[in-house]
Amino acid sequence: IYHMVANSILSRDFITHSTIAFDFIILIIISVFLLSIASNSSTLQLAVSGFLAILGYLLLSYVLFIYMSHIVGLMSVTLPTTVMFLGLIGTHIYRSQVRMGVLEGSLSSYLSPNLMERVKEDPDILKLGGSRKKISVLFSDIVGFTSFCDSVDSAEVQEVLEDYFSKMTRAIFNSDGVVDKYLGDGVLAFFENERDSISSPLNAMSAALAMQEG
């Protein structure tokens, strides 16, 4: 120990400490990095990036101490950074769940449960542009609906439509169809082919028969 102390004094190789300004600048850099990642990345990417940022700072402090005898503030940087990182992760997860809940509530009347699960796993399939493919389209409405509306009050019309759309949508979903839109008393739906098969016409016919029975 005496030898190491004497050697440090003779070689002027003293241990130095970082300033508050240096620690603050490092904290700002890591915080800006995490905030930029949080605004444009998924939860997994944010978690990996935050972990690597904190780990990188710890490695930097180790290198500075071993090779330059310089001590940087660990707790003054890692503690607030970790707290902010965990807060961003929690906020990111919460917003993702809220966004998915709103999405599910908005699309549950148009997409079958199977397709809704696919959307949850990969929301990017809803992006504009889509892809070109062969599908089968089904259109249905109520025969004599106009004359029916003229003979009853609006409350009864609303009740009939709610029951009608509920049964028609269920029949379409049971055949793996997608409700494109509701048109007054009409329903426009389409059916996709599964992979390379030609199943959409059969699914559309199956839905149409079920809708007639319903």
Side-chain angles (χ1 to χ4, degrees):
I1 294 176
Y2 292 151
H3 170 73
M4 294 177 62
V5 171
N7 182 67
S8 298
I9 294 174
L10 292 175
S11 60
R12 295 184 176 276
D13 185 17
F14 304 115
I15 294 178
T16 58
H17 293 266
S18 62
T19 62
I20 297 178
F22 176 83
D23 294 343
F24 182 74
I25 292 174
I26 295 296
L27 178 60
I28 292 298
I29 292 175
I30 297 178
S31 300
V32 171
F33 171 75
L34 292 178
L35 289 173
S36 63
I37 293 296
S39 60
N40 300 312
S41 303
S42 63
T43 304
L44 179 60
Q45 291 174 329
L46 174 61
V48 173
S49 300
F51 175 77
L52 292 178
I54 296 175
L55 180 62
Y57 177 73
L58 294 176
L59 291 177
L60 174 63
S61 63
Y62 174 79
V63 171
L64 290 177
F65 177 74
I66 295 298
Y67 295 100
M68 301 180 63
S69 300
H70 186 79
I71 297 178
V72 297
L74 289 179
M75 295 300 296
S76 61
V77 175
T78 56
L79 182 59
T81 300
T82 303
V83 171
M84 189 183 86
F85 169 62
L86 295 177
L88 288 175
I89 288 291
T91 303
H92 215 271
I93 293 175
Y94 173 75
R95 289 181 177 177
S96 298
Q97 294 298 321
V98 171
R99 190 183 306 113
M100 186 55 64
V102 172
L103 187 65
E104 184 176 0
S106 302
L107 299 178
S108 60
S109 299
Y110 298 90
L111 304 182
S112 65
N114 292 336
L115 186 55
M116 196 67 231
E117 289 299 321
R118 289 171 51 193
V119 172
K120 289 181 181 180
E121 295 174 359
D122 183 17
D124 290 340
I125 64 177
L126 295 178
K127 287 185 177 181
L128 295 177
S131 59
R132 296 177 61 88
K133 60 178 65 177
K134 293 182 179 181
I135 62 174
S136 295
V137 180
L138 169 66
F139 177 81
S140 71
D141 63 355
I142 302 176
V143 176
F145 183 72
T146 302
S147 58
F148 170 75
C149 292
D150 295 336
S151 60
V152 298
D153 57 30
S154 58
E156 186 174 351
V157 172
Q158 182 67 26
E159 183 178 350
V160 170
L161 283 178
E162 289 179 358
D163 181 66
Y164 164 73
F165 284 136
S166 175
K167 293 180 178 179
M168 298 303 102
T169 301
R170 189 183 307 115
I172 293 171
F173 287 172
N174 289 338
S175 297
D176 294 329
V178 177
V179 177
D180 183 73
K181 59 177 63 73
Y182 299 100
L183 305 166
D185 63 317
V187 181
L188 180 62
F190 64 87
F191 300 80
E192 296 181 325
N193 295 307
E194 298 179 2
R195 299 181 179 87
D196 297 331
S197 65
I198 306 178
S199 59
S200 63
L202 294 177
N203 290 339
M205 292 297 298
S206 175
L209 294 174
M211 292 165 75
Q212 288 181 333
E213 295 176 357

